Amino acid sequence: MAVSTPPSSDRPAGADGTVTTIVIAGATGDLAQRKLLPALYHLWIKGRLAPNVPIVGFSRAPMSSDEFREFMWRGIREIGGLEPRREDWDAFAPRLNYFGGDLAKPDEVAVLRGHLQTLEGGEAAANRLFYLAIAPSLYDAAVSSLGQCGLVEETPGSGWRRVVVEKPFGRDLESANVLNSSMHRVFREDQVYRIDHYLGKETVQNLLVLRFANAIFEPIWNRNYVDNVQITVAESVDVGDRAGYYDQFGVVRDMIQNHLLQVLSLVTMEPPVTLEADSLRNKKVEALRAIRPWSTLEAARNAVRAQYIGYRDATGVDPHSATPTYAAMRLYLDNWRWQGVPFYLRSGKAMARKSSEIAIEFRAPPHRIFPANPRWGPLSNILTLRLQPDEGVHLRFAAKLPDEGMAVRPVDMDFHYGTAFGTDDLPEAYERLLQDALEGDASLFIRSDHIEEAWKIVDPLLEAWEDAISHPVQWYEAGSWGPESADALLSQDGRSWAPVGDRHGRIND
Ligand code: BG6
């Protein structure tokens, strides 16, 4: 995203001739098969990975490189849902190498070091990107053995060393601080690329374009015109086979602390001076700092949590679990731009439909001269940014019904990525993020202070909910839009959730 550089497709990673090794730790896991390998394959197909970029899988499972290639070929078709042409795959596969070992064990990491040196032809200037696709509980040990064995040391004449870390980054502020300190014992902050895959989504980046490449939105993007903002990330899938992880984390740690607060910071931030990483990230952190802190009591009053019926029966879930699979909350920002504007966030599993949207609801006209029609409710304008699926932007405004006197109803003006750009095939978030990490562009990665601010926001809520007697978990039917108490959160303020879902350019009645 750095503005001074040409479009990334013109600069395949490794194009300057230097060997750049990508090491994926946890290479036999779900993330590698479902996301990372397909993303690297796509980058290669698009000519964005030069030939001198070897990819190394590293995991505890004993396997040869050939077996690893075959495992990945099956994996990306069966799990990743891709259909690569066999001849393309055969051309890509030789760059895949596999070494078995445990990243938490320094002696095994020392052996990996030797393998990397051989693979890199002893080239001191070779760059290395380490991707930790491993359980977060292993980060600490993995990072310290990388440090101990000298795999990530940058010395004069050596290439760069970077580490990519997946979420969840901690489970509260305290654990995130501990993790940040252990990262910083081995890496400088500018070497750490913390991933939030929502930032790799085209439509999330389009939020910046909508706000700052158009002159018409920014003047009304404030408390004088905006009545409320709603961010919905609804998933139709349930916890599936991830129950073991999910039951320990729940929706606030899994989705809200990261993805929804990332989106919120992009909606509310002040305009950055440039798109350079720190310029952008400073503004995002500033926006999070403006969020009014909750006491535990206020947190519980401003949020609801619920579980879909049947969650406790899933394998791996504690039959008495109070882990929320759904949460909704009301937040305020204390700054000039947003004072008094409520931000409603909600996310859940097993909901009616997969849909991620941001709805900016503007104030109603100050004086009504047209007859009201209860069928369509208030006629306020709503700008909806549809993050997925059917990515696009919609503006709801009032229009005169033909041949019905001065009767008025809301209509939608629509922009769909699919029709506007002739493709529904938007790149996967991981493609963009991997490419940026290779290019050293950290704009779409999370800085340590952002992670810490985000935990400060949700920690009081997590603490309040530990008291399951005062704040019992609510229930909702799988396939619904969540519990009634989430509707009550808005109706207390005289508002309701904006309609979510398929518009397809049709008038929405
Ligand atoms: C992940 C969560 O970060 O995001 C998952 O751990 C969730 O629980 C997923 O399903 C949703 O991502 P997307 O891109 O499908 O909206």
Side-chain angles (χ1 to χ4, degrees):
M1 194 173 264
V3 277
S4 51
T5 47
S8 38
S9 51
D10 296 347
R11 301 173 279 131
D16 65 354
T18 314
V19 174
T20 297
T21 311
I22 303 174
V23 182
I24 301 179
T28 53
D30 193 58
L31 179 72
Q33 281 186 314
R34 197 186 293 272
K35 300 287 182 192
L36 305 182
L37 260 296
L40 289 167
Y41 173 76
H42 274 142
L43 286 176
W44 176 77
I45 284 277
K46 292 177 184 172
R48 296 180 189 173
L49 276 189
N52 49 349
V53 182
I55 299 166
V56 172
F58 188 70
S59 246
R60 281 176 295 193
M63 211 182 263
S64 70
S65 288
D66 275 342
E67 284 165 339
F68 178 62
R69 290 172 194 134
E70 202 45 39
F71 174 75
M72 280 300 157
W73 161 251
R74 279 199 315 274
I76 69 168
R77 290 166 74 233
E78 287 158 24
I79 303 177
L82 274 190
E83 268 307 330
R85 291 190 316 166
R86 185 79 220 199
E87 57 269 36
D88 289 340
W89 178 260
D90 288 345
F92 170 75
R95 71 175 61 219
L96 297 179
N97 303 271
Y98 183 84
F99 303 112
D102 187 342
L103 205 52
K105 296 193 177 141
D107 50 333
E108 299 187 18
V109 175
V111 177
L112 172 67
R113 184 177 187 214
H115 288 315
L116 295 185
Q117 281 167 340
T118 311
L119 204 64
E120 291 159 352
E123 197 183 306
N127 304 308
R128 289 180 191 157
L129 180 77
F130 289 87
Y131 199 118
L132 303 188
I134 55 178
S137 54
L138 303 175
Y139 287 168
D140 193 20
V143 166
S144 70
S145 39
L146 283 176
Q148 230 175 301
C149 301
L151 265 82
V152 291
E153 217 171 33
E154 282 185 10
T155 50
S158 79
W160 52 252
R161 309 284 184 252
R162 294 177 194 143
V163 64
V164 182
V165 199
E166 270 291 330
K167 66 163 264 280
F169 199 85
R171 50 177 295 110
D172 53 20
L173 177 61
E174 198 186 333
S175 52
N177 279 336
V178 170
L179 205 48
N180 274 332
S181 312
S182 41
M183 284 280 163
H184 292 153
R185 271 197 291 277
V186 175
F187 294 101
R188 296 183 313 272
E189 175 61 22
D190 64 278
Q191 293 175 285
V192 184
Y193 288 68
R194 296 177 195 79
I195 280 218
D196 183 311
H197 79 277
Y198 265 58
L199 293 180
K201 289 182 189 278
E202 291 282 328
T203 42
V204 173
Q205 293 157 38
N206 190 44
L207 188 50
L208 289 172
V209 177
L210 184 97
R211 285 193 60 193
F212 305 128
N214 295 293
I216 60 170
F217 297 116
E218 205 46 28
I220 56 170
W221 207 264
N222 57 51
R223 65 189 301 276
N224 298 323
Y225 294 90
V226 175
D227 178 80
N228 74 92
V229 176
Q230 303 177 12
I231 302 177
T232 299
V233 177
E235 296 187 87
S236 52
V237 292
D238 60 20
V239 290
D241 53 10
R242 294 171 72 227
Y245 148 80
Y246 194 88
D247 203 38
Q248 301 299 314
F249 282 82
V251 66
V252 173
R253 293 186 173 99
D254 187 51
M255 296 294 288
I256 294 180
Q257 185 271 348
N258 35 73
H259 305 326
L260 277 86
L261 288 183
Q262 281 299 331
V263 171
L264 177 71
S265 66
L266 292 172
V267 172
T268 55
M269 67 190 265
E270 293 302 315
V273 175
T274 69
L275 282 179
E276 266 153 26
D278 278 334
S279 175
L280 190 67
R281 298 192 298 178
N282 288 344
K283 296 295 181 193
K284 285 172 60 195
V285 174
E286 221 172 79
L288 286 194
R289 287 204 179 116
I291 294 179
R292 187 178 304 163
W294 283 324
S295 64
T296 47
L297 198 65
E298 287 160 341
R301 276 201 206 117
N302 282 286
V304 302
R305 65 164 163 178
Q307 247 178 30
Y308 63 84
I309 298 167
Y311 170 73
R312 290 181 182 178
D313 303 331
T315 319
V317 172
D318 172 356
H320 305 290
S321 171
T323 302
T325 60
Y326 174 98
M329 60 192 62
R330 181 201 295 115
L331 296 168
Y332 286 97
L333 273 74
D334 287 328
N335 62 16
W336 275 59
R337 186 187 283 266
W338 296 116
Q339 192 64 41
V341 177
F343 287 79
Y344 301 104
L345 273 52
R346 63 174 165 169
S347 181
K349 297 247 182 235
M351 294 186 66
R353 159 185 317 144
K354 179 174 174 76
S355 195
S356 303
E357 296 196 355
I358 306 161
I360 318 281
E361 185 164 351
F362 292 91
R363 287 176 187 270
H367 173 55
R368 192 164 60 208
I369 57 172
F370 302 104
N373 186 331
R375 184 169 164 214
W376 291 302
L379 287 178
S380 50
N381 301 115
I382 304 182
L383 180 70
T384 306
L385 286 97
R386 190 118 206 259
L387 305 181
Q388 59 187 20
D390 186 23
E391 293 79 358
V393 181
H394 308 265
L395 178 65
R396 187 174 89 164
F397 61 100
K400 182 186 169 308
L401 270 166
D403 204 20
E404 291 202 27
M406 284 314 281
V408 168
R409 63 164 292 177
V411 291
D412 273 337
M413 194 151 72
D414 297 302
F415 153 71
H416 295 265
Y417 264 88
T419 37
F421 296 119
T423 174
D424 280 326
D425 192 16
L426 297 179
E428 268 283 336
Y430 280 91
E431 265 182 61
R432 170 66 191 260
L433 294 173
L434 276 163
Q435 191 176 3
D436 282 1
L438 287 166
E439 288 172 4
D441 182 353
S443 341
L444 299 179
F445 293 85
I446 324 298
R447 219 169 47 188
S448 56
D449 50 348
H450 190 118
I451 296 263
E452 288 165 14
E453 287 304 323
W455 282 120
K456 280 186 205 160
I457 295 160
V458 300
D459 266 6
L461 183 60
L462 296 168
E463 203 178 303
W465 284 347
E466 272 169 23
D467 177 358
I469 300 197
S470 311
H471 309 295
V473 71
Q474 321 267 309
W475 305 98
Y476 63 102
E477 292 283 348
S480 72
W481 279 109
E484 280 172 15
S485 47
D487 297 337
L489 193 67
L490 274 74
S491 59
Q492 289 159 10
D493 300 344
R495 300 187 174 93
S496 55
W497 293 104
V500 167
D502 297 322
R503 288 185 185 75
H504 292 297
R506 285 194 305 268
I507 289 174
N508 202 11
D509 56 2

mmCIF file of all heavy atoms in Angstrom, residues 21 50 69 73 317 355-357 376 389 475 502:
data_model
loop_
_atom_site.group_PDB
_atom_site.id
_atom_site.type_symbol
_atom_site.label_atom_id
_atom_site.label_comp_id
_atom_site.label_asym_id
_atom_site.label_seq_id
_atom_site.Cartn_x
_atom_site.Cartn_y
_atom_site.Cartn_z
ATOM 1 N N THR A 21 13.271 -16.652 1.242
ATOM 2 C CA THR A 21 12.691 -17.926 1.666
ATOM 3 C C THR A 21 11.471 -17.681 2.543
ATOM 4 O O THR A 21 11.530 -16.878 3.474
ATOM 5 C CB THR A 21 13.738 -18.736 2.468
ATOM 6 O OG1 THR A 21 14.942 -18.740 1.736
ATOM 7 C CG2 THR A 21 13.261 -20.158 2.713
ATOM 8 N N ALA A 50 8.803 -14.454 -7.801
ATOM 9 C CA ALA A 50 9.913 -14.794 -8.701
ATOM 10 C C ALA A 50 10.379 -16.228 -8.419
ATOM 11 O O ALA A 50 10.052 -16.787 -7.375
ATOM 12 C CB ALA A 50 11.041 -13.799 -8.471
ATOM 13 N N ARG A 69 4.316 -32.132 -1.062
ATOM 14 C CA ARG A 69 3.720 -31.555 -2.292
ATOM 15 C C ARG A 69 2.396 -32.241 -2.598
ATOM 16 O O ARG A 69 1.412 -31.587 -2.934
ATOM 17 C CB ARG A 69 4.682 -31.721 -3.475
ATOM 18 C CG ARG A 69 5.898 -30.833 -3.337
ATOM 19 C CD ARG A 69 6.946 -31.112 -4.394
ATOM 20 N NE ARG A 69 8.188 -30.467 -3.979
ATOM 21 C CZ ARG A 69 9.391 -31.024 -4.009
ATOM 22 N NH1 ARG A 69 9.560 -32.251 -4.470
ATOM 23 N NH2 ARG A 69 10.444 -30.351 -3.591
ATOM 24 N N TRP A 73 -1.255 -30.643 -2.649
ATOM 25 C CA TRP A 73 -2.065 -30.736 -3.880
ATOM 26 C C TRP A 73 -3.472 -31.231 -3.533
ATOM 27 O O TRP A 73 -4.460 -30.658 -3.942
ATOM 28 C CB TRP A 73 -1.349 -31.668 -4.877
ATOM 29 C CG TRP A 73 -2.202 -32.245 -5.978
ATOM 30 C CD1 TRP A 73 -2.609 -33.533 -6.102
ATOM 31 C CD2 TRP A 73 -2.733 -31.549 -7.116
ATOM 32 N NE1 TRP A 73 -3.362 -33.700 -7.237
ATOM 33 C CE2 TRP A 73 -3.460 -32.492 -7.885
ATOM 34 C CE3 TRP A 73 -2.671 -30.233 -7.575
ATOM 35 C CZ2 TRP A 73 -4.112 -32.174 -9.070
ATOM 36 C CZ3 TRP A 73 -3.333 -29.907 -8.755
ATOM 37 C CH2 TRP A 73 -4.049 -30.862 -9.481
ATOM 38 N N VAL A 317 -17.145 -29.073 23.230
ATOM 39 C CA VAL A 317 -17.703 -27.958 23.989
ATOM 40 C C VAL A 317 -18.099 -28.453 25.373
ATOM 41 O O VAL A 317 -18.723 -29.511 25.517
ATOM 42 C CB VAL A 317 -18.929 -27.353 23.262
ATOM 43 C CG1 VAL A 317 -19.627 -26.313 24.131
ATOM 44 C CG2 VAL A 317 -18.514 -26.741 21.931
ATOM 45 N N SER A 355 -23.121 -12.613 6.218
ATOM 46 C CA SER A 355 -23.207 -11.250 5.722
ATOM 47 C C SER A 355 -22.395 -10.326 6.603
ATOM 48 O O SER A 355 -22.563 -10.315 7.813
ATOM 49 C CB SER A 355 -24.678 -10.817 5.732
ATOM 50 O OG SER A 355 -24.817 -9.675 4.972
ATOM 51 N N SER A 356 -21.492 -9.570 6.002
ATOM 52 C CA SER A 356 -20.720 -8.581 6.763
ATOM 53 C C SER A 356 -20.979 -7.219 6.158
ATOM 54 O O SER A 356 -20.722 -7.013 4.959
ATOM 55 C CB SER A 356 -19.229 -8.876 6.683
ATOM 56 O OG SER A 356 -18.976 -10.161 7.141
ATOM 57 N N GLU A 357 -21.498 -6.327 6.960
ATOM 58 C CA GLU A 357 -21.871 -5.010 6.445
ATOM 59 C C GLU A 357 -21.567 -3.920 7.456
ATOM 60 O O GLU A 357 -21.627 -4.149 8.656
ATOM 61 C CB GLU A 357 -23.382 -4.954 6.172
ATOM 62 C CG GLU A 357 -23.831 -5.896 5.099
ATOM 63 C CD GLU A 357 -25.236 -5.582 4.567
ATOM 64 O OE1 GLU A 357 -25.920 -4.673 5.091
ATOM 65 O OE2 GLU A 357 -25.634 -6.262 3.632
ATOM 66 N N TRP A 376 -42.704 1.569 5.505
ATOM 67 C CA TRP A 376 -41.270 1.652 5.212
ATOM 68 C C TRP A 376 -40.454 2.300 6.337
ATOM 69 O O TRP A 376 -39.266 2.517 6.179
ATOM 70 C CB TRP A 376 -41.056 2.384 3.880
ATOM 71 C CG TRP A 376 -41.538 1.545 2.754
ATOM 72 C CD1 TRP A 376 -41.114 0.291 2.445
ATOM 73 C CD2 TRP A 376 -42.563 1.869 1.817
ATOM 74 N NE1 TRP A 376 -41.800 -0.196 1.369
ATOM 75 C CE2 TRP A 376 -42.699 0.763 0.947
ATOM 76 C CE3 TRP A 376 -43.370 2.980 1.607
ATOM 77 C CZ2 TRP A 376 -43.610 0.734 -0.095
ATOM 78 C CZ3 TRP A 376 -44.269 2.963 0.573
ATOM 79 C CH2 TRP A 376 -44.389 1.834 -0.262
ATOM 80 N N PRO A 389 -21.115 -11.363 1.434
ATOM 81 C CA PRO A 389 -20.752 -11.631 0.033
ATOM 82 C C PRO A 389 -21.398 -10.546 -0.842
ATOM 83 O O PRO A 389 -21.986 -9.626 -0.289
ATOM 84 C CB PRO A 389 -21.403 -12.987 -0.219
ATOM 85 C CG PRO A 389 -22.600 -13.004 0.691
ATOM 86 C CD PRO A 389 -22.260 -12.149 1.886
ATOM 87 N N TRP A 475 -30.034 -17.126 24.728
ATOM 88 C CA TRP A 475 -30.078 -18.160 23.694
ATOM 89 C C TRP A 475 -30.649 -17.597 22.410
ATOM 90 O O TRP A 475 -31.437 -16.649 22.435
ATOM 91 C CB TRP A 475 -30.993 -19.311 24.136
ATOM 92 C CG TRP A 475 -30.585 -19.862 25.458
ATOM 93 C CD1 TRP A 475 -31.122 -19.560 26.664
ATOM 94 C CD2 TRP A 475 -29.525 -20.772 25.700
ATOM 95 N NE1 TRP A 475 -30.479 -20.236 27.652
ATOM 96 C CE2 TRP A 475 -29.483 -20.992 27.095
ATOM 97 C CE3 TRP A 475 -28.607 -21.426 24.880
ATOM 98 C CZ2 TRP A 475 -28.561 -21.827 27.681
ATOM 99 C CZ3 TRP A 475 -27.694 -22.268 25.476
ATOM 100 C CH2 TRP A 475 -27.674 -22.467 26.848
ATOM 101 N N ASP A 502 -29.143 -9.547 0.954
ATOM 102 C CA ASP A 502 -29.114 -9.435 -0.499
ATOM 103 C C ASP A 502 -29.964 -8.289 -0.990
ATOM 104 O O ASP A 502 -31.159 -8.271 -0.764
ATOM 105 C CB ASP A 502 -29.691 -10.712 -1.120
ATOM 106 C CG ASP A 502 -28.835 -11.884 -0.771
ATOM 107 O OD1 ASP A 502 -27.613 -11.714 -0.749
ATOM 108 O OD2 ASP A 502 -29.397 -12.957 -0.502
#
